[in-house]
Amino acid sequence: MATQALWIRRRSFQMVYEARQGHPGGDFSAADILATLYFGVLRHDPANPRDPARDRFVMSKGHCTGAFYSVLARAGFFPEADLNTYMKPLSMLNGHPNRNYLPGVETNTGPLGHGLPVATGIAIAGQLDNADFRTFALTGDGELQEGSNWESALTAAHRKLENLTLIIDRNRLQQGARTEDTASLDPLDDKWRAFGWHVEVVDGHDHGQLLDVLSASPRGRGKPLCVIANTFKGKGVSFMHDNVSWHHGVPNQEQFEQAMAELV
Amino acid sequence: MSAAAPAKAGLFDCRDSFASTIEALAAADPRIVTVVSDSVGSSKLGGFRTKFPERMVNVGIAEQTLVAVGAGLANGGKIPFVSAASCFITGRALEQVKADIAYSNVNVKLIGQSSGVAYGELGPTHHSIEDLAWLRLFNNLKLIVPADPWETAEAIKAAAAYDGPVFVRVSRMAVPALERPAGAKFQIGKSETLVEGSDATIIANGTTVHRAVAAAKALTSESISVRVVNMSTVNPLDEEAIAAAIDTGAIVTVEEHSVRGGLGGAVAEVVSTTNPVPMRILGFPGFVPTGSAEWLFDNFGLNEAGIADAVRQTIARKK
């Protein structure tokens, strides 16, 4: 998984470098979570991406397509060479994911606060059918400022959706500043507990911790699971680490080369 | 399928027709579920809840999640009918309708209840005379505005059978059952001609259709021959019927919606790019005063006399 996460970081940064746009800071904070999900947790079949029995993953932080497309390609949903078309005209690889073009995408995201509500609906469908697939959503933390998340937090807890897991990429930076300097979220774990969720707080760059909480069976808990994954934006590259300017920063050649030298 | 119970003698609340139809469909197809936002009563879904309690998802007063949960249920193989007051399911959740339903192109049926000015006395916050204008922008979202209980039932059945996103606008205003030839069929995207005529065409939908029919019949006493077309599908429009209306030389559209961006606007887009003829768009000018729905219809000329006047004036503009 460490190898896969490193590959995601390198590949997504190259995509951003070549497209001259993207969201590398959030790509890097989410890379370990995505690698753990796709190479250790999710039940998926890239040859049959709409298999009704598949686990669902909803990428609510839809702007971080560098990492998301990289992991989908790496997992086999489409050829890795297609990553070269990122954000080019007529590419399947929009700046934000589109399910109608791209295998492995469950719902179109990009505007924030959509992923958890849709994932809640998927989990309800699974609950109605007593199906054993699980549904995961990955949100940013700044994204939690959208009220739609809290609407579905109520519904998910009310319906005891133990088949639903929300992962929060808690990198503490949003586009313009720190979350706690913008519209503060702490104490974030207590908020989710108060809404009736089971909460686990982990190091979002520790694959072992992520694997433990994400692969454990949620059956019998009677609550949806919220995993607060503490991360750093720009994780893995010294000059990007915890630096708000890399939310949607684009590297020059020197920065690109330095990052690639560090990502080994 | 049983017809709706009369609200008054000879008049029907189309919500009853929606409710009986969805119950019958659900009995035959276990994939059908309903999603509501504390809107069981206003959607007339009490019977559905009694018969299929596990297949009703009530998210509480949370329209953004209401619509998004519909998208999720479709992902899980269900055919969700998402039902709430039209003003909220569209305006309050417009971005969810855009991103989660239309842009994602999922098999969700949105039911906009108590549309138009049905909540007349509650004022413009609860009027839904903008919904079609907002939703017309999503090119793949089918938009249906049934005119009476039969058409409401047929529209719901057609929506369930169609694999893709549909919005059905259901009124709570009392309407009569329209007279139709035996064997009439409903098809998404096809209008029906209820009255034949050659001097002008009235294109109407929803609660205004029976008023348009009455106006056309009244004008026969003046030897004015007026066609009445029930354009119940606003997207996609029946362009053949509009071309035929152009041949009559004058068009009046009538709708329980703003004159901006609704049926009239859609028809005008077609007319203006072909061979323009005089047109008049009847509807509400924008925010309207508080008053009963019937009072608003009368006050803004959406009654028999007002529609007939508009037809006379439009015919007078013929070249």
Side-chain angles (χ1 to χ4, degrees):
Chain A
M1 259 170 270
T3 309
Q4 303 290 6
L6 181 65
W7 190 88
I8 292 167
R9 287 192 171 90
R10 291 178 63 88
R11 192 66 188 88
S12 62
F13 203 56
Q14 186 182 351
M15 288 159 65
V16 172
Y17 176 62
E18 290 173 359
R20 310 306 301 155
Q21 54 188 324
H23 293 83
D27 286 341
F28 285 10
S29 65
D32 296 298
I33 297 165
L34 291 169
T36 304
L37 280 168
Y38 277 83
F39 299 103
V41 178
L42 291 178
R43 188 172 61 184
H44 58 71
D45 177 6
N48 187 12
R50 300 261 166 108
D51 179 354
R54 70 193 183 279
D55 287 337
R56 268 68 163 184
F57 172 69
V58 172
M59 183 67 167
S60 193
K61 44 180 288 178
H63 51 290
C64 290
T65 41
F68 186 38
Y69 294 160
S70 294
V71 80
L72 285 176
R74 193 67 165 169
F77 284 91
F78 55 89
E80 289 177 10
D82 287 357
L83 295 173
N84 295 330
T85 70
Y86 184 51
M87 295 212 217
K88 288 183 178 166
L90 298 178
S91 172
M92 294 190 305
L93 308 184
N94 292 5
H96 296 115
N98 183 318
R99 70 188 290 275
N100 299 307
Y101 302 155
L102 201 62
V105 177
E106 299 288 351
T107 188
N108 297 357
T109 52
L112 300 176
H114 285 246
L116 180 59
V118 174
T120 298
I122 300 173
I124 293 171
Q127 184 187 55
L128 289 174
D129 289 341
N130 203 22
D132 69 351
F133 70 80
R134 295 178 66 190
T135 303
F136 299 81
L138 175 62
T139 65
D141 51 357
E143 181 176 354
L144 296 176
Q145 290 156 2
E146 291 282 6
S148 50
N149 292 300
W150 302 100
E151 287 183 5
S152 50
L154 289 173
T155 287
H158 179 79
R159 298 189 70 91
K160 301 180 170 50
L161 295 177
E162 60 190 20
N163 57 351
L164 175 65
T165 296
L166 169 69
I167 307 161
I168 300 169
D169 183 0
R170 183 69 168 123
N171 59 38
R172 295 184 171 267
L173 289 175
Q174 51 194 106
Q175 176 173 293
R178 296 199 167 272
T179 56
E180 302 313 292
D181 293 335
T182 306
S184 51
L185 297 164
D186 279 334
L188 191 54
D189 52 347
D190 286 346
K191 285 191 171 74
W192 287 95
R193 281 190 199 99
F195 270 71
W197 287 56
H198 180 80
V199 177
E200 299 276 4
V201 181
V202 300
D203 176 344
H205 300 303
D206 183 322
H207 302 129
Q209 286 187 36
L210 284 165
L211 195 58
D212 281 350
V213 297
L214 294 174
S215 60
S217 171
R219 299 293 167 194
R221 180 181 284 142
K223 292 179 177 184
L225 169 64
C226 172
V227 176
I228 299 175
N230 287 315
T231 60
F232 291 100
K233 248 180 181 167
K235 167 75 175 180
V237 173
S238 56
F239 60 89
M240 294 169 65
H241 186 86
D242 200 27
N243 180 342
V244 73
S245 68
W246 284 94
H247 174 80
H248 46 47
V250 175
N252 59 31
Q253 185 181 346
E254 184 184 341
Q255 289 167 325
F256 177 71
E257 287 171 1
Q258 184 183 339
M260 286 300 170
E262 293 184 20
L263 290 170
V264 289
Chain B
M1 191 158 302
S2 64
K8 283 187 258 176
L11 295 178
F12 300 88
D13 179 339
C14 289
R15 294 178 301 162
D16 291 317
S17 185
F18 160 72
S20 59
T21 306
I22 196 72
E23 287 174 31
L25 288 170
D29 189 339
R31 295 174 300 168
I32 289 182
V33 297
T34 56
V35 192
V36 294
S37 53
D38 194 28
S39 45
V40 180
S42 57
S43 297
K44 296 247 184 186
L45 286 172
F48 183 101
R49 181 172 58 186
T50 301
K51 289 178 183 162
F52 312 104
E54 75 286 359
R55 283 156 66 182
M56 171 178 281
V57 178
N58 190 345
V59 300
I61 307 162
E63 283 81 12
Q64 296 180 63
T65 281
L66 171 82
V67 172
V69 160
L73 285 162
N75 179 295
K78 304 297 179 187
I79 304 177
F81 279 73
V82 180
S83 177
S86 197
C87 54
F88 302 133
I89 200 173
T90 58
R92 190 78 178 241
L94 190 60
E95 195 190 71
Q96 277 71 23
V97 175
K98 173 184 170 182
D100 304 349
I101 306 295
Y103 181 46
S104 292
N105 199 35
V106 292
N107 192 25
V108 172
K109 320 306 164 184
L110 301 168
I111 311 299
Q113 301 278 7
S114 306
S115 51
V117 296
Y119 289 127
E121 297 88 342
L122 303 187
T125 55
H126 284 59
H127 298 165
S128 190
I129 60 171
E130 304 89 1
D131 48 10
L132 294 173
W134 289 331
L135 301 184
R136 272 189 60 221
L137 296 169
F138 308 137
N139 59 306
N140 64 324
L141 177 62
K142 310 291 187 198
L143 301 181
I144 309 175
V145 187
D148 72 350
W150 176 83
E151 194 172 40
T152 302
E154 293 302 305
I156 295 299
K157 286 188 267 184
Y162 171 74
D163 184 12
V166 181
F167 173 81
V168 184
R169 192 180 197 239
V170 179
S171 177
R172 70 192 293 153
M173 282 191 73
V175 291
L178 297 170
E179 290 178 23
R180 293 188 174 79
K185 286 190 168 58
F186 176 86
Q187 190 181 340
I188 295 173
K190 285 290 176 196
S191 64
E192 61 176 352
T193 300
L194 294 169
V195 180
E196 275 298 350
S198 56
D199 295 329
T201 303
I202 303 172
I203 301 176
N205 64 18
T207 52
T208 67
V209 174
H210 71 92
R211 300 162 200 272
V213 170
K217 289 185 174 165
L219 287 166
T220 59
S221 66
E222 301 168 33
S223 298
I224 299 175
S225 167
V226 182
R227 182 180 302 164
V228 178
V229 171
N230 173 20
M231 187 69 73
S232 47
T233 307
V234 175
N235 186 45
L237 281 176
D238 182 348
E239 297 202 11
E240 273 183 41
I242 296 172
I246 290 170
D247 290 341
T248 66
I251 297 173
V252 173
T253 62
V254 196
E255 61 195 304
E256 190 189 347
H257 186 273
S258 170
V259 293
R260 298 161 186 256
L263 172 67
V267 171
E269 286 168 14
V270 176
V271 171
S272 64
T273 53
T274 54
N275 186 20
V277 294
M279 251 196 89
R280 178 79 180 272
I281 296 174
L282 296 184
F284 296 106
F287 297 131
V288 294
T290 293
S292 72
E294 290 292 346
W295 181 85
L296 288 166
F297 270 72
D298 287 340
N299 196 58
F300 287 94
L302 299 176
N303 53 14
E304 180 184 317
I307 296 168
D309 268 351
V311 171
R312 288 188 203 97
Q313 290 166 17
T314 309
I315 288 175
R317 289 166 52 210
K318 279 191 181 183
K319 288 177 182 162

